[in-house]
């Protein structure tokens, strides 16, 4: 609008200068606004233009109005007047907008004060409050647009604020909403700092009126603004006090009159104080509404109130059943804001015991679990984290006498929610879930039956997260990364936080397992069906805990704490390790050994020294001490000590560790100085410097026993010697047994890297060991102890026999224990692990250690020999076994070990020969001495003089053994067997030309010959009676019969060789012999058959006419008398006997035993030789029997490995030698030739080569009829030539054949069973 006559000071051009702009006349605008004749539409248009100009040309109007400030105030007043006069909502909105823009354009304090003064004046003069609604809306918008105005209003316009309070008493809800809009902007400006400046009386009045308004509000706008203002007020502690104490009259708004005394009436109403606080009830009503926004806002208000003083303000909310309604809101909502608000509110409410006493936790736990499952699906991880925090608080504070989970289903649901939280991708959520798991694993939260499987799943889920943990930065980056590490949001910090909570959870699981183990109802799960083999058991849980701890937790924690040890983590870690020793005692021996061998002694001691010195971290120190004590006591229970005072030693060590471990916070490098420290006066047995030294020794011992060397060997050795010397210098020689045992062990194990002891140190050790009444109480089954004692003659003389005796005793006990264990496993039908199958027998290992000891210290042999001769049978037998292995596997201990032993054995025999063998109360060591003699004889090296002459000690031994054998009772088979065996070995292993004196002496010993006769007679009698009588006499042991046969065979052969005079002959029935081979061979063991055939062979070699054995024969072999020519020539065998014996030997040729096959072939060869000498016709008939052809065909068809055996080759050669028609060139000999050509002569054994050489020689000498073709003859000559060259090369390196085969207690000289050539 333009007026040319207007005053130029009231008009001006607005807009760009170059365009001329638009001319605005302020006076015209004011005139239009104030005129009642102008339509509201035109006014609205003008206001829109002014608003546009203010928006498009900022600053232009300010310059115009600054020419005369009165014009600006006039314009402002006119616009304020329009707020009263206008009724059109659109126009009112334009007025509000232009006013705010204008004041912001002017932007000066006088303008603001003018507006506030005008509004105050309107409130003071206005009788109708309803017309002020636009004013209140404008004031709210202005405060929002100009935040600094809030401070002015709060500090300088108290009366205006008071009018605003009074306006809330007006019944119109729209008006109240506009007033509340002003208060919202006022209290919400600058983070609520302006609200702090509001006078206390006005603030309190606002609180009271707000509660009244909210209690009666019905419109959504009013309710939302009330809740908004309430949420701001509850952030101020003073306002909260008023809100929670006041109780305005919540009457009808119609009762409020609009008179001048309305303020007085309202104040009277405000001052009333009913009994109950209405705020919880008001918020409860909001929770019952269907608006989730109101639910969340209500929960936030409750939380804000409780934050100020949970103890003071929780009770009214709990009594109003607010927790119940909050839990109900959780059940069906997935709104992030609502869930987080309710969780936070309930966390604060749970701090009040009233929350639990009124069973709100029991009521809401199911809703909480359901909401947690929904919250874990949200993207905002703060929500499930807050929910898990609420669950943790409820689980931790729930009274033990009120169960949250009376049935298994409730516990399963909660554990699943916790497990889902642990598996969350957010590490902070997983940490809080682990914390909730710790609270869940309390005994009072367990249902009956206990859900062990769910607990296992929770532990395994926590364990599975360890692979994601990030260790702290390396030491070289720690200074630069210290800020990042301390930052809770850093990955390393989160990992460390999760690990700590996980350890607390694991420790809670261990504690729960211990508590369940002490409660039979929980341990056995008695409500589980008896026939149901469920994995849901306490043992399964304990095994899960141990498995996770061993395979994952230990390596993870060591990795995480390797660079920067965390005292809290380590405290719980060692507590968890200690708990394992209680949960599964049966598995602790293996677990303890694994820990100790993995360096856990060193680890725990270093952590104590680094983190606990100077009384720091007492909880960690206590945890470390508890772990070290349990580890040490577990290892001690596995000790091999033979002490009878085991319990006393156990208690002694336990007390030493208990009293001294807490103060032992020294680095390992300081231990040597501690061990060498002069302790002074010791007032208490278990406390003080000396007790600390004892404690160090025990731990050094137990750690070293598992391979963990805490200190260098030289340091340990010298420190122990010094300590022993120091103790004795104080006048006390007797150390505690456990300490002395540890000292002895340390000296033994560390001796290899230390110089030898002499003089005073050695005397000190000897004195210390002598102070113990029983050396067995100090003994530890370790090879180093053997070597330490035997290394020093002073110690070996006094303690050598004792330590060897204990070693052999322990060896037997360990072997018996393992056999018992394996028998138990087999009884149960369990499969042994492959590692168990491959594990070496302890007895074998211990014996090898003894052999090594003997190799290093040969004097030990005499001690073992003395045991054989003088100690009880079990110990003597074990010593004999060692000497047996020693002699049979003789290594170069001395030039002639056997020669050194024989004089001692001779003395033992001389003493035994004078003792009364019948006294049962004496130790019968004769069998053991005789066995040792057998071992000695069969172990004598080929170069020994015993093979070249039979005189000196050898002859004396032979003499005493033969005399003792002659005087023994026939029933004393334990001694007779080794005696016969020794005599046989002496004769068989010595060259024939050196045995004349021995044979003469033996054959002149009538007692010995009678013993041989008794054994043979009992064997024959038993054999003949077994077929005719059921009460046949008992057969002598087969080993004794073997030795008897072998000894007689040697005597027959050597007597014939030397033509020795025989004083007493042995009678023997040939009928019984043939009968045994024909009928009883299936019931006779192979070894007895072998010895029997050797005996028969020796007699056939001398034509059954030896003076040693008087052979008798009956009609079964010879037929009727008088004898025919053939029978007479073959006497005492006869023709029938020859045929029967031949058939019996032919049957034995089909046996698979190589030694038996050799003995059979040799015996058959001797039989044919006997027949050839006595009756060539009979010999021809025997070898030409059809059975011979069938037998040979069977052998040839058995394969190459069969017919290239020396015995088979010798059989073919024997048949050819006696012109048997059973042998053919093709296919028999041709197959032999082809097999030899394929294998090659170099691959043949010595015996096979000898037999093949004889066979080829017979083929070339025309023994075979018809002879082979010429081409085949050339093949035979070629093989024979190659064989001759090979045998010549081998003869250069050939040594005396002296192999001995031991079968049980019987030693057999294999030279007696070598396949003989020709």
């Amino acid at each position: 609008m333009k007026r040319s006559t207007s005053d130029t000071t009231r008009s001006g051009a607005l807009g760009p200068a170059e365009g001329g702009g638009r001319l605005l006349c302020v006076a015209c605008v004011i005139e239009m606004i104030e005129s009642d004749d102008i339509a509201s539409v035109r006014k609205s248009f003008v206001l829109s233009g002014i608003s546009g100009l203010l928006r498009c040309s900022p600053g232009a109007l300010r310059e115009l109005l600054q020419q005369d400030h009165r014009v600006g105030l006039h314009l402002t007043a006119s616009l304020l007047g329009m707020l009263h006069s206008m009724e059109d909502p659109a126009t009112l909105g334009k007025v509000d907008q232009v006013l705010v823009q204008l004041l912001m354009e002017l932007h000066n304090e006088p303008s603001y004060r003018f507006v506030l003064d005008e509004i105050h004046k309107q409130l003071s003069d206005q009788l109708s409050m309803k017309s002020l609604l636009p004013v209140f809306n404008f004031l709210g918008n202005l405060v929002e647009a100009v935040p600094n105005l809030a401070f002015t209003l709060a500090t300088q316009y108290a009366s205006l604020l008071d009018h605003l309070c009074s306006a809330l008493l007006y019944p119109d809800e729209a008006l109240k909403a506009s007033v509340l809009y002003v208060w919202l902007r006022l209290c919400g400006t600058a983070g609520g700092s302006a609200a702090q400046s509001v006078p206390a009386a006005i603030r309190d009045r606002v609180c009271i009126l707000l509660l009244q308004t909210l209690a009666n509000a019905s419109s959504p706008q009013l309710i939302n603004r009330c809740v908004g203002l309430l949420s701001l007020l509850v952030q101020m502690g003073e306002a909260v006090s008023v809100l929670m104490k006041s109780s305005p009259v919540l009457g009808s708004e119609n009762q409020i009159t609009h008179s001048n005394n309305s303020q007085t009436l309202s104040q009277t109403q405000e001052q009333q104080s009913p009994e109950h606080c209405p705020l919880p009830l008001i918020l409860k009503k909001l929770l019952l509404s269907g608006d989730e926004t109101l639910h969340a806002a209500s929960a936030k208000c409750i939380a804000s109130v409780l934050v100020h003083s949970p103890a003071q303000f929780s009770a009214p909310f709990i009594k109003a059943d607010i927790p119940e309604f909050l839990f109900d809101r959780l059940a069906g909502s997935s709104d992030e804001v609502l869930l987080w608000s309710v969780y936070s509110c309930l966390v604060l409410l749970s701090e009040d015991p009233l929350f639990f006493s009124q069973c709100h936790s029991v009521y809401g736990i199911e809703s909480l679990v359901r909401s947690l499952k929904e919250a874990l699906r949200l993207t905002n991880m703060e929500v499930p984290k807050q929910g898990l925090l609420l669950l943790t608080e409820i689980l931790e504070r729930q009274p033990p006498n009120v169960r949250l989970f009376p049935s298994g289903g409730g516990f399963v649901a909660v554990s699943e929610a916790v497990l889902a939280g642990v598996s969350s991708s957010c590490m902070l959520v997983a940490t809080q879930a682990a914390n909730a798991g710790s609270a869940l694993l309390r005994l009072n939260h367990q249902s009956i039956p206990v859900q062990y499987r769910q607990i296992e799943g929770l532990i395994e889920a926590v364990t599975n997260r360890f692979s994601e943990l990030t260790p702290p930065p390396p030491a070289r980056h720690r200074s630069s990364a210290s800020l990042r590490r301390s930052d809770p949001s850093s990955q390393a910090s989160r990992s460390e936080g999760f690990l700590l909570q996980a350890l607390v959870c694991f420790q809670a699981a261990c504690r729960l397992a211990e508590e369940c183990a002490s409660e039979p109802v929980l341990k056995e799960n008695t409500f589980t069906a008896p026939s149901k083999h469920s994995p849901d058991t306490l043992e399964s849980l304990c095994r899960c805990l141990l498995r996770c701890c061993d395979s994952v937790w230990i390596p993870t924690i060591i990795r995480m704490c390797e660079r920067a040890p965390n005292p809290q983590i380590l405290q719980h870690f060692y507590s968890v390790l200690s708990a394992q020793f209680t949960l599964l005692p049966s598995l602790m021996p293996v677990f303890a050994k694994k820990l100790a061998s993995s360096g856990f002694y060193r680890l725990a001691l270093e952590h104590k020294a680094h983190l606990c010195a100077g009384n720091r971290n007492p909880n960690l120190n206590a945890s470390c001490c508890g772990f070290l004590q349990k580890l040490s006591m577990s290892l001690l229970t596995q000790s091999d000590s033979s002490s009878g005072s085991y319990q006393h030693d156990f208690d002694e060590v336990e007390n030493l560790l208990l009293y001294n471990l807490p103060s032992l916070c020294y680095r390992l490098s300081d231990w040597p100085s501690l061990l060498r420290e002069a302790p002074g006066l010791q007032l208490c047995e278990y406390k003080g410097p000396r007790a600390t030294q004892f404690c160090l020794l025990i731990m050094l011992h137990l750690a070293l026993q598992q391979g963990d060397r805490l200190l260098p060997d030289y340091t340990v050795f010298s420190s122990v010697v010094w300590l022993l010397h120091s103790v004795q210098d104080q006048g006390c020689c007797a150390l505690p047994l456990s300490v002395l045992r540890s000292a002895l062990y340390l000296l033994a194990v560390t001796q290899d890297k230390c110089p030898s002891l002499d003089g005073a140190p050695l005397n000190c050790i000897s004195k210390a060991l002598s102070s113990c009444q029983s050396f067995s109480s100090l003994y530890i089954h370790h090879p180093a102890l053997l070597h330490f004692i035997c290394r020093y003659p002073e110690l070996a003389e006094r303690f050598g026999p004792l330590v060897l005796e204990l070693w052999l005793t322990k060896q037997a006990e360990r072997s018996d224990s393992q056999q018992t264990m394996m028998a138990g496993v087999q009884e149960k039908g369990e499969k042994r692990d492959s590692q168990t199958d491959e594990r070496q027998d302890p007895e074998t290992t211990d014996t090898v250690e003894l052999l090594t000891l003997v190799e290093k210290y040969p004097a030990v042999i005499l001690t073992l020999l003395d045991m054989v001769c003088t100690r009880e049978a079990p110990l003597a037998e074990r010593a004999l076994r060692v000497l047996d292995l020693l002699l049979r596997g003789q290594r170069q201990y001395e030039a002639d070990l056997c020669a050194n032993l024989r004089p001692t054995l001779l003395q033992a025999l001389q003493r035994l020969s004078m003792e009364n063998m019948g006294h049962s109360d004496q130790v019968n060591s004769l069998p053991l001495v005789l066995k040792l003699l057998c071992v000695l004889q069969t172990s004598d090296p080929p170069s020994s003089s015993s093979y070249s002459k039979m005189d000196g000690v050898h002859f004396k031994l032979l003499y005493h053994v033969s005399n003792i054998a002659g005087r023994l009772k026939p029933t004393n088979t334990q001694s007779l067997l080794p005696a016969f065996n020794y005599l046989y070995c002496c004769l068989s292993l010595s060259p024939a030309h050196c045995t004349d004196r021995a044979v003469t002496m033996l054959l002149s010993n009538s007692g010995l010959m009678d013993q041989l006769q008794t054994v043979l007679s009992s064997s024959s009698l038993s054999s003949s009676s077994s077929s005719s009588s059921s009460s046949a006499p008992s057969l002598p042991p087969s080993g004794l019969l073997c030795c008897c046969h072998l000894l007689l065979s040697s005597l027959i052969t050597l007597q014939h060789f030397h033509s020795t005079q025989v004083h007493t002959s042995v009678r023997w029935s040939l009928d019984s012999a043939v009968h045994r081979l024909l009928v009883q061979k299936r019931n006779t063991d192979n070894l007895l058959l072998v010895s029997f055939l050797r005996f028969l062979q020796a007699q056939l070699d001398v034509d059954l006419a030896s003076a040693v054995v008087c052979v008798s024969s009956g009609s079964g072999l010879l037929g009727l008398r008088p004898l025919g020519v053939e029978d007479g020539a073959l006497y005492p065998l006869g023709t029938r006997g020859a045929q029967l014996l031949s058939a019996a030997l032919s049957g034995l040729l089909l046996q698979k035993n190589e030694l038996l096959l050799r003995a059979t072939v040799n015996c058959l060869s001797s039989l044919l030789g006997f027949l050839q000498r006595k009756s060539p016709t009979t010999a021809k008939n025997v070898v030409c029997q059809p059975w011979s052809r069938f037998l040979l065909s069977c052998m040839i068809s058995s394969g190459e490995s069969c017919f290239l055996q020396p015995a088979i080759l010798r059989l073919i050669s024997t048949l050819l030698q006696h012109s048997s028609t059973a042998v053919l060139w093709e296919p028999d000999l041709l197959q032999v030739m082809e097999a030899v050509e394929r294998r090659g002569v170099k691959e043949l054994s010595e015996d096979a080569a000898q037999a093949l050489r004889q066979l080829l020689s017979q083929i070339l000498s025309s023994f075979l009829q018809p002879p082979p073709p010429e081409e085949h003859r050339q093949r035979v000559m070629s093989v024979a030539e190659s064989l001759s060259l090979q045998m010549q090369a081998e003869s250069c390196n050939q040594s005396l054949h002296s192999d001995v085969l031991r079968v049980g207690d019987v030693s057999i000289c294999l030279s007696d069973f070598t396949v003989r050539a020709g």
Side-chain angles (χ1 to χ4, degrees), residues 259-272:
S259 60
N260 291 332
N261 60 350
S262 61
Q263 180 174 345
T264 305
L265 174 63
S266 66
Q267 290 176 354
T268 304
Q269 294 171 345
E270 294 163 15
Q271 293 171 0
Q272 297 178 4

PDB file of all heavy atoms in Angstrom, residues 259-272:
ATOM      1  N   SER A 259     -12.756 -15.458  39.273  1.00  0.00           N
ATOM      2  CA  SER A 259     -12.888 -14.191  40.007  1.00  0.00           C
ATOM      3  C   SER A 259     -11.514 -13.673  40.366  1.00  0.00           C
ATOM      4  O   SER A 259     -10.508 -14.321  40.102  1.00  0.00           O
ATOM      5  CB  SER A 259     -13.726 -14.402  41.276  1.00  0.00           C
ATOM      6  OG  SER A 259     -13.109 -15.350  42.118  1.00  0.00           O
ATOM      7  N   ASN A 260     -11.510 -12.535  40.947  1.00  0.00           N
ATOM      8  CA  ASN A 260     -10.230 -11.955  41.321  1.00  0.00           C
ATOM      9  C   ASN A 260      -9.527 -12.761  42.399  1.00  0.00           C
ATOM     10  O   ASN A 260      -8.310 -12.679  42.541  1.00  0.00           O
ATOM     11  CB  ASN A 260     -10.432 -10.516  41.811  1.00  0.00           C
ATOM     12  CG  ASN A 260     -10.841  -9.589  40.679  1.00  0.00           C
ATOM     13  OD1 ASN A 260     -10.500  -9.841  39.525  1.00  0.00           O
ATOM     14  ND2 ASN A 260     -11.572  -8.532  41.008  1.00  0.00           N
ATOM     15  N   ASN A 261     -10.314 -13.498  43.153  1.00  0.00           N
ATOM     16  CA  ASN A 261      -9.664 -14.289  44.199  1.00  0.00           C
ATOM     17  C   ASN A 261      -9.381 -15.715  43.745  1.00  0.00           C
ATOM     18  O   ASN A 261      -9.220 -16.616  44.567  1.00  0.00           O
ATOM     19  CB  ASN A 261     -10.543 -14.316  45.452  1.00  0.00           C
ATOM     20  CG  ASN A 261     -11.903 -14.936  45.167  1.00  0.00           C
ATOM     21  OD1 ASN A 261     -12.241 -15.175  44.015  1.00  0.00           O
ATOM     22  ND2 ASN A 261     -12.678 -15.156  46.227  1.00  0.00           N
ATOM     23  N   SER A 262      -9.387 -15.917  42.456  1.00  0.00           N
ATOM     24  CA  SER A 262      -9.122 -17.269  41.943  1.00  0.00           C
ATOM     25  C   SER A 262      -7.729 -17.750  42.332  1.00  0.00           C
ATOM     26  O   SER A 262      -7.501 -18.921  42.593  1.00  0.00           O
ATOM     27  CB  SER A 262      -9.270 -17.274  40.416  1.00  0.00           C
ATOM     28  OG  SER A 262      -8.338 -16.377  39.841  1.00  0.00           O
ATOM     29  N   GLN A 263      -6.777 -16.861  42.362  1.00  0.00           N
ATOM     30  CA  GLN A 263      -5.406 -17.253  42.711  1.00  0.00           C
ATOM     31  C   GLN A 263      -5.352 -17.747  44.143  1.00  0.00           C
ATOM     32  O   GLN A 263      -4.701 -18.732  44.464  1.00  0.00           O
ATOM     33  CB  GLN A 263      -4.449 -16.069  42.507  1.00  0.00           C
ATOM     34  CG  GLN A 263      -3.005 -16.419  42.867  1.00  0.00           C
ATOM     35  CD  GLN A 263      -2.079 -15.277  42.509  1.00  0.00           C
ATOM     36  OE1 GLN A 263      -2.465 -14.379  41.771  1.00  0.00           O
ATOM     37  NE2 GLN A 263      -0.883 -15.318  43.037  1.00  0.00           N
ATOM     38  N   THR A 264      -6.076 -17.037  45.040  1.00  0.00           N
ATOM     39  CA  THR A 264      -6.097 -17.454  46.437  1.00  0.00           C
ATOM     40  C   THR A 264      -6.715 -18.828  46.582  1.00  0.00           C
ATOM     41  O   THR A 264      -6.212 -19.684  47.322  1.00  0.00           O
ATOM     42  CB  THR A 264      -6.877 -16.437  47.281  1.00  0.00           C
ATOM     43  OG1 THR A 264      -6.323 -15.140  47.085  1.00  0.00           O
ATOM     44  CG2 THR A 264      -6.870 -16.819  48.744  1.00  0.00           C
ATOM     45  N   LEU A 265      -7.797 -19.056  45.801  1.00  0.00           N
ATOM     46  CA  LEU A 265      -8.439 -20.363  45.856  1.00  0.00           C
ATOM     47  C   LEU A 265      -7.506 -21.457  45.371  1.00  0.00           C
ATOM     48  O   LEU A 265      -7.375 -22.526  45.974  1.00  0.00           O
ATOM     49  CB  LEU A 265      -9.715 -20.325  45.001  1.00  0.00           C
ATOM     50  CG  LEU A 265     -10.452 -21.664  44.837  1.00  0.00           C
ATOM     51  CD1 LEU A 265     -10.937 -22.138  46.207  1.00  0.00           C
ATOM     52  CD2 LEU A 265     -11.627 -21.505  43.872  1.00  0.00           C
ATOM     53  N   SER A 266      -6.816 -21.167  44.289  1.00  0.00           N
ATOM     54  CA  SER A 266      -5.897 -22.181  43.756  1.00  0.00           C
ATOM     55  C   SER A 266      -4.779 -22.486  44.724  1.00  0.00           C
ATOM     56  O   SER A 266      -4.372 -23.623  44.889  1.00  0.00           O
ATOM     57  CB  SER A 266      -5.334 -21.704  42.411  1.00  0.00           C
ATOM     58  OG  SER A 266      -4.526 -20.572  42.622  1.00  0.00           O
ATOM     59  N   GLN A 267      -4.264 -21.455  45.382  1.00  0.00           N
ATOM     60  CA  GLN A 267      -3.175 -21.691  46.335  1.00  0.00           C
ATOM     61  C   GLN A 267      -3.655 -22.550  47.501  1.00  0.00           C
ATOM     62  O   GLN A 267      -2.941 -23.374  48.030  1.00  0.00           O
ATOM     63  CB  GLN A 267      -2.624 -20.357  46.818  1.00  0.00           C
ATOM     64  CG  GLN A 267      -1.854 -19.601  45.742  1.00  0.00           C
ATOM     65  CD  GLN A 267      -1.408 -18.248  46.214  1.00  0.00           C
ATOM     66  OE1 GLN A 267      -1.771 -17.812  47.315  1.00  0.00           O
ATOM     67  NE2 GLN A 267      -0.618 -17.565  45.386  1.00  0.00           N
ATOM     68  N   THR A 268      -4.902 -22.291  47.909  1.00  0.00           N
ATOM     69  CA  THR A 268      -5.456 -23.109  48.985  1.00  0.00           C
ATOM     70  C   THR A 268      -5.539 -24.572  48.551  1.00  0.00           C
ATOM     71  O   THR A 268      -5.217 -25.496  49.309  1.00  0.00           O
ATOM     72  CB  THR A 268      -6.847 -22.585  49.376  1.00  0.00           C
ATOM     73  OG1 THR A 268      -6.744 -21.219  49.735  1.00  0.00           O
ATOM     74  CG2 THR A 268      -7.426 -23.391  50.532  1.00  0.00           C
ATOM     75  N   GLN A 269      -5.975 -24.772  47.297  1.00  0.00           N
ATOM     76  CA  GLN A 269      -6.059 -26.125  46.779  1.00  0.00           C
ATOM     77  C   GLN A 269      -4.660 -26.762  46.696  1.00  0.00           C
ATOM     78  O   GLN A 269      -4.479 -27.949  46.972  1.00  0.00           O
ATOM     79  CB  GLN A 269      -6.709 -26.106  45.395  1.00  0.00           C
ATOM     80  CG  GLN A 269      -8.170 -25.675  45.433  1.00  0.00           C
ATOM     81  CD  GLN A 269      -8.723 -25.449  44.056  1.00  0.00           C
ATOM     82  OE1 GLN A 269      -7.950 -25.343  43.088  1.00  0.00           O
ATOM     83  NE2 GLN A 269     -10.039 -25.357  43.953  1.00  0.00           N
ATOM     84  N   GLU A 270      -3.679 -25.974  46.323  1.00  0.00           N
ATOM     85  CA  GLU A 270      -2.332 -26.506  46.148  1.00  0.00           C
ATOM     86  C   GLU A 270      -1.731 -26.959  47.457  1.00  0.00           C
ATOM     87  O   GLU A 270      -0.906 -27.858  47.510  1.00  0.00           O
ATOM     88  CB  GLU A 270      -1.437 -25.433  45.514  1.00  0.00           C
ATOM     89  CG  GLU A 270      -1.853 -25.080  44.086  1.00  0.00           C
ATOM     90  CD  GLU A 270      -1.242 -23.779  43.632  1.00  0.00           C
ATOM     91  OE1 GLU A 270      -0.302 -23.318  44.303  1.00  0.00           O
ATOM     92  OE2 GLU A 270      -1.689 -23.226  42.631  1.00  0.00           O
ATOM     93  N   GLN A 271      -2.116 -26.338  48.550  1.00  0.00           N
ATOM     94  CA  GLN A 271      -1.481 -26.618  49.829  1.00  0.00           C
ATOM     95  C   GLN A 271      -2.054 -27.846  50.519  1.00  0.00           C
ATOM     96  O   GLN A 271      -1.581 -28.241  51.579  1.00  0.00           O
ATOM     97  CB  GLN A 271      -1.609 -25.388  50.743  1.00  0.00           C
ATOM     98  CG  GLN A 271      -0.805 -24.202  50.234  1.00  0.00           C
ATOM     99  CD  GLN A 271      -1.116 -22.943  51.009  1.00  0.00           C
ATOM    100  OE1 GLN A 271      -1.944 -22.954  51.931  1.00  0.00           O
ATOM    101  NE2 GLN A 271      -0.480 -21.846  50.623  1.00  0.00           N
ATOM    102  N   GLN A 272      -3.117 -28.443  49.955  1.00  0.00           N
ATOM    103  CA  GLN A 272      -3.685 -29.631  50.573  1.00  0.00           C
ATOM    104  C   GLN A 272      -2.722 -30.809  50.397  1.00  0.00           C
ATOM    105  O   GLN A 272      -2.068 -30.941  49.386  1.00  0.00           O
ATOM    106  CB  GLN A 272      -5.041 -29.947  49.936  1.00  0.00           C
ATOM    107  CG  GLN A 272      -6.069 -28.841  50.178  1.00  0.00           C
ATOM    108  CD  GLN A 272      -7.377 -29.141  49.501  1.00  0.00           C
ATOM    109  OE1 GLN A 272      -7.536 -30.200  48.909  1.00  0.00           O
ATOM    110  NE2 GLN A 272      -8.314 -28.204  49.570  1.00  0.00           N
TER     111      GLN A 272
END
